[in-house]
Amino acid sequence: MPFLGQDWRSPGWSWIKTEDGWKRCESWSRDMESENNPCTISHSIILNSDDEEIFSNEEQEYTSKKRKKDHFRNDTSTQCFYREKWIYVHKESTRERHGYCTLGEAFNRLDFSSAIQDIRRFTYVVKLLQLIAKSQLTSLSGVAQKNYFNILDKIVQKVLDDHQNPRLIKDLLQDLSSTLCILIRGVGKSVLVGNINIWICRLETILRWQQQLQNLQVTKVNDGLTLSDLPLHMLNNILYRFSDGWDIVTLGQVTPTLSMLSEDRRLWKKLCQYHFAEKQFCRHLILSEKGHVEWKLMYFALQKHYPPREQYGDTLHFCRHCSILFWKDCRLALLFKDSGHPCTAADPDSCFMPVSPQHFIDLFKF
């Protein structure tokens, strides 16, 4: 009698359907058989906070093979998700529709995969993933969690390719790894959806991404103009365009001229006034020996106590009239106009409200 596993053709193999029939997918099997994967993590660190040894060496080797098999069987990079520009946020059952819209359903259906390719929406999606990692990861369904890590994979690969916004992704991965370490220790308490081996393998993948970002080096281009060739007033204007203090500090380390300009008191005063209120200045006032306000020190002190003002090139929007959550684009505007939408007849801004990442999560709290 032949052995019949979960895949009767050959247990552990992955297959893909083509026009000529079913073909075995070789890429996953190579990844599973690779012995040079630098992504390893000790079970005693993740699963035991008291530093007690749980597994023997043989059990660790068996568990490592099993979790890789479970991971590649359950997490595939070719998942088919909805790619919609808008969804209807319904919070209760009606005759026309049963149930309500959840955070996981909204995350699956809205087109976040294409949004990360748009430079105006990239920061917005990263911030949303970071908020979900901090508090809402356990509320996502299994399919939504797969979609979450697929989108995260695309974000990391994009940063590794174009070398833009690496600090944002480092912060996101740090928060996500810290959350997963805490949740994995709570196995048996029904805090995670799926096999524990899948989550350990995902955590190993996150650690591998962190190592890749840590080793990221921006290639130097010798052709054309550089920052050193620009006049002082243009360099000063560039610094005044930044809304993050860490970006100003980093840019100030490039050349001595930028270092001098990055210490300008007026620059840091403008930054403090943009992000924080005057009442907050009084509570954390820092003066120098000469009695001058140390605006740079105040900015980083205020940042520890108050959330800075968020700035995005483009966000999701929510219609108060018909409870539609959507990405703004030309085709959707024409659809609203042709359908006689009441928001287009009057002032659209009175009904179309921009949705911050935190507001996006709050929309699905019942």
Side-chain angles (χ1 to χ4, degrees):
M1 181 175 180
F3 172 76
L4 297 179
Q6 292 186 352
D7 186 349
W8 58 269
R9 300 173 185 84
S10 181
W13 288 354
S14 299
W15 295 76
I16 186 172
K17 188 175 182 180
T18 64
E19 296 180 355
D20 300 329
W22 288 89
K23 292 185 178 181
R24 188 167 59 135
C25 184
E26 298 287 349
S27 59
W28 295 333
S29 60
R30 293 196 191 102
D31 294 336
M32 292 171 61
E33 294 173 1
S34 175
E35 297 179 356
N36 298 324
N37 188 0
C39 170
T40 56
I41 187 169
S42 173
H43 287 74
S44 60
I45 295 177
I46 299 177
L47 299 177
N48 191 5
S49 58
D50 297 329
D51 297 330
E52 297 178 359
E53 192 67 27
I54 296 181
F55 299 112
S56 64
N57 293 333
E58 295 78 4
E59 290 173 332
Q60 287 185 12
E61 182 179 358
Y62 170 77
T63 306
S64 177
K65 292 180 179 179
K66 186 176 185 301
R67 72 169 183 266
K68 288 182 179 180
K69 180 179 178 181
D70 291 338
H71 174 70
F72 286 102
R73 186 175 67 242
N74 289 275
D75 278 16
T76 63
S77 59
T78 57
Q79 292 287 341
C80 295
F81 298 102
Y82 297 101
R83 292 186 176 181
E84 300 179 7
K85 294 295 183 182
W86 63 274
I87 61 171
Y88 175 67
V89 182
H90 54 288
K91 296 187 176 182
E92 58 184 6
S93 299
T94 61
R95 293 182 178 180
E96 293 78 13
R97 186 161 187 171
H98 177 68
Y100 53 88
C101 186
T102 63
L103 176 63
E105 181 183 353
F107 191 80
N108 284 339
R109 294 177 59 188
L110 286 171
D111 190 9
F112 288 105
S113 296
S114 299
I116 61 177
Q117 304 301 327
D118 190 338
I119 190 173
R120 301 171 303 169
R121 300 173 180 175
F122 181 83
T123 307
Y124 181 88
V125 177
V126 172
K127 182 63 176 180
L128 177 59
L129 265 63
Q130 188 173 14
L131 290 177
I132 293 176
K134 288 181 178 180
S135 60
Q136 300 297 321
L137 191 60
T138 55
S139 65
L140 299 181
S141 63
V143 176
Q145 289 172 356
K146 290 181 182 179
N147 191 22
Y148 180 94
F149 282 93
N150 286 334
I151 294 176
L152 182 59
D153 184 18
K154 294 180 181 179
I155 290 177
V156 173
Q157 297 306 320
K158 184 178 185 300
V159 173
L160 293 175
D161 292 339
D162 57 22
H163 298 173
Q164 296 182 9
N165 300 307
R167 185 171 52 82
L168 293 176
I169 312 305
K170 289 180 182 179
D171 295 341
L172 167 60
L173 294 179
Q174 181 62 38
D175 292 336
L176 183 58
S177 60
S178 301
T179 301
L180 285 184
C181 286
I182 297 173
L183 294 178
I184 289 175
R185 290 174 187 156
V187 63
K189 301 179 182 179
S190 301
V191 293
L192 290 173
V193 177
N195 195 310
I196 184 63
N197 296 324
I198 298 173
W199 286 101
I200 294 179
C201 199
R202 286 174 176 171
L203 182 56
E204 290 179 348
T205 303
I206 294 172
L207 298 179
R208 176 170 55 84
W209 286 338
Q210 289 178 319
Q211 188 63 35
Q212 291 176 347
L213 291 173
Q214 191 68 26
N215 299 331
L216 182 64
Q217 295 182 354
V218 180
T219 57
K220 185 177 180 180
V221 180
N222 296 324
D223 299 334
L225 292 174
T226 63
L227 286 174
S228 302
D229 301 325
L230 298 177
L232 288 178
H233 72 277
M234 292 187 66
L235 294 175
N236 198 40
N237 287 335
I238 291 174
L239 288 171
Y240 271 85
R241 295 297 185 272
F242 285 102
S243 61
D244 194 322
W246 287 111
D247 292 335
I248 297 177
V249 172
T250 304
L251 186 60
Q253 298 173 354
V254 177
T255 63
T257 303
L258 286 171
S259 178
M260 177 192 65
L261 294 176
S262 64
E263 297 295 331
D264 185 10
R265 294 179 61 254
R266 291 177 298 176
L267 172 64
W268 291 99
K269 181 179 179 180
K270 288 284 186 182
L271 201 62
C272 289
Q273 292 175 342
Y274 176 78
H275 286 286
F276 309 105
E278 293 185 2
K279 294 181 179 179
Q280 298 169 346
F281 296 164
C282 300
R283 298 175 184 174
H284 304 276
L285 191 63
I286 301 177
L287 300 177
S288 64
E289 296 179 354
K290 297 181 179 180
H292 300 298
V293 179
E294 294 286 351
W295 291 105
K296 182 178 179 180
L297 297 178
M298 278 188 57
Y299 170 81
F300 292 105
L302 291 168
Q303 196 179 39
K304 294 180 181 179
H305 295 85
Y306 308 102
R309 180 179 176 182
E310 297 180 357
Q311 183 180 23
Y312 306 104
D314 191 13
T315 66
L316 284 167
H317 289 73
F318 182 72
C319 178
R320 298 187 182 96
H321 181 268
C322 52
S323 300
I324 288 180
L325 187 65
F326 61 95
W327 292 107
K328 268 192 173 182
D329 60 4
C330 298
R331 288 177 294 179
L332 190 60
L334 291 175
L335 177 63
F336 280 147
K337 185 176 181 180
D338 295 339
S339 62
H341 195 275
C343 299
T344 59
D347 184 11
D349 295 334
S350 62
C351 292
F352 293 167
M353 175 182 61
V355 178
S356 65
Q358 184 60 54
H359 188 198
F360 176 88
I361 295 177
D362 294 338
L363 280 176
F364 304 97
K365 290 182 179 179
F366 304 105

